[in-house]
Amino acid sequence: MKGFVFHGPGQSAWEEVPDPAVKDPTDAIVRVDAVTICGTDLHILKGDVPEVRPGTVLGHEAVGEIMEVGGDVRTVRPGDRVLVSCISACGRCRYCREAAYGQCRGGGGWILGHLIDGTQAEYVRVPYADLSVHALPGAVESKDAVLLADIFPTAYEVGVLNGRVRPGDTVAVVGAGPIGLAAIATARLFGPERIVAVDLAASRLEAARRLGADAVADARETPEQLIADLTDGLGADVVIEAVGVPESFEQCTRMVRPGGHVANVGVHGKPATLHLEDLWIKNVTITTGLVDTHSTPTLLRMAAAGRLPTAQLVTHTFPLDHMEEAYDVFARAADTGALKVVLGEQPHDEVAVRAT
């Protein structure tokens, strides 16, 4: 088969790789029907994630069809259409028992496209399939469902839930890329008074307005002052960092009110300064986190009911074998206007019903 292979910082290719096979009785082999590219993949290509070894197939989000399962898999079988989660879960360790699947100590966590071959290929081996894939409702199209593999649960869990968004809050989202936009969409579910989006790109700020931001600000034009003006000098109740650079994190800490929350979602490749000389007295809570995907079943039900604006985030589609072109378009988002790119989508007009 073919897959998109990382060969070291700045080096990658769509090339022939070995077909995956069932190695453990909890594995499933999935034919990839739709896959997307994540900002984390760009961080890997830059060398920001040194755990990724050259020769690894990238990608950790997919929709596809089960082709084969190991002898211990009970929840899916060949022919099922599934969502492949970005997080794998052994289901037995302390963290999995607490639904903190991202911290799995039993061989799971974020392993696809990180520690083992990932989803940007024609087929993928998914460990711990019973907890790591989700059967898809027929009402959810592949290009929508693939956004629930990572960006929506990440934005919702690491941004909105960790930030403890509440009714009446002022929420600032710094970074209006796919994660930031998903954070805006899911923060709205909690009835905040206002959501302010901050970004450098006018096209992304316009997308933020479409997704529900009440105000937008150019990151270069002291958005802290806009937040202060909107809150009578208090600051935002919740600030969600969705960029992953030192400047944006430090900007977030200047926006938050005393007693407020800064929820860091961005993937950082460089150190950021924590200005405790200013923050120690302000009762500020700062959270970090890798998504656990415990919310994926809930988000799938909401998507099936038409309650999540997934389609609005997909700006480009490609055949699966146009992976290099898709990476180029996604990496040059400021020029191309790309939000999420989806590759290899196949329509599914029939819903298979199996006896239980």
Side-chain angles (χ1 to χ4, degrees):
M1 70 168 189
K2 286 194 172 183
F4 189 70
V5 182
F6 171 72
H7 289 294
Q11 302 175 59
S12 58
W14 177 255
E15 61 189 42
E16 292 286 341
V17 295
D19 291 347
V22 170
K23 294 182 178 180
D24 299 308
T26 55
D27 288 350
I29 304 299
V30 177
R31 185 194 70 207
V32 174
D33 291 344
V35 67
T36 185
I37 301 170
C38 179
T40 305
D41 298 321
L42 299 183
H43 280 280
I44 292 171
L45 291 180
K46 291 177 183 177
D48 289 345
V49 189
E51 299 86 1
V52 182
R53 297 180 179 178
T56 301
V57 175
L58 297 187
H60 49 266
E61 308 156 87
V63 168
E65 182 179 328
I66 298 285
M67 305 303 291
E68 184 181 357
V69 296
D72 289 349
V73 176
R74 296 290 180 266
T75 61
V76 291
R77 71 183 188 186
D80 286 351
R81 178 173 168 250
V82 296
L83 171 70
V84 178
S85 175
C86 65
I87 298 296
S88 303
C90 78
R92 296 184 175 90
C93 71
R94 169 181 172 175
Y95 288 107
C96 284
R97 287 177 177 274
E98 296 173 355
Y101 306 124
Q103 303 301 323
C104 174
R105 300 300 296 273
W110 173 36
I111 55 174
L112 291 172
H114 180 207
L115 305 179
I116 66 172
D117 286 338
T119 59
Q120 290 170 3
E122 294 174 322
Y123 296 87
V124 60
R125 178 179 74 91
V126 183
Y128 305 117
D130 279 335
L131 282 173
S132 306
V133 303
H134 301 267
L136 281 177
V140 182
E141 295 186 18
S142 295
K143 68 179 177 61
D144 298 325
V146 76
L147 302 191
L148 303 183
D150 185 353
I151 68 163
F152 268 91
T154 294
Y156 181 59
E157 295 175 19
V158 186
V160 175
L161 296 185
N162 279 3
R164 299 187 181 181
V165 176
R166 297 179 299 179
D169 276 355
T170 292
V171 179
V173 178
V174 178
I179 291 287
L181 294 174
I184 290 168
T186 51
R188 283 176 55 84
L189 301 172
F190 290 82
E193 179 182 357
R194 63 176 68 88
I195 300 174
V196 182
V198 179
D199 202 280
L200 296 171
S203 61
R204 291 196 166 191
L205 293 176
E206 179 56 35
R209 285 193 182 276
R210 293 196 301 270
L211 268 292
D214 302 287
V216 299
D218 189 310
R220 294 162 292 204
E221 298 178 359
T222 59
E224 301 96 316
Q225 187 59 53
L226 172 61
I227 297 293
D229 292 343
L230 290 172
T231 61
D232 295 326
L234 191 63
D237 300 284
V238 181
V239 186
I240 297 173
E241 199 284 343
V243 182
V245 298
E247 295 81 5
S248 61
F249 174 78
E250 293 167 28
Q251 189 174 61
C252 288
T253 63
R254 295 193 298 269
M255 290 181 180
V256 68
R257 69 166 174 83
H261 289 76
V262 175
N264 183 88
V265 187
V267 177
H268 289 264
K270 297 179 180 179
T273 300
L274 182 62
H275 289 282
L276 286 176
E277 74 277 13
D278 296 323
L279 295 171
W280 74 270
I281 201 170
K282 293 184 177 179
N283 292 22
V284 170
T285 299
I286 299 174
T287 57
T288 65
L290 175 67
V291 65
D292 293 315
T293 65
H294 62 75
S295 67
T296 301
T298 298
L299 294 172
L300 275 171
R301 291 195 301 271
M302 294 179 66
R307 299 298 178 89
L308 293 178
T310 49
Q312 296 184 47
L313 274 71
V314 178
T315 55
H316 297 75
T317 57
F318 299 89
L320 188 62
D321 60 0
H322 286 217
M323 189 69 69
E324 293 174 349
E325 179 185 357
Y327 259 90
D328 177 65
V329 168
F330 186 64
R332 296 187 301 108
D335 300 321
T336 63
L339 294 175
K340 289 298 284 183
V341 301
V342 174
L343 299 99
E345 181 196 3
Q346 295 183 8
H348 291 267
D349 297 324
E350 298 181 2
V351 181
V353 179
R354 77 180 193 213
T356 58

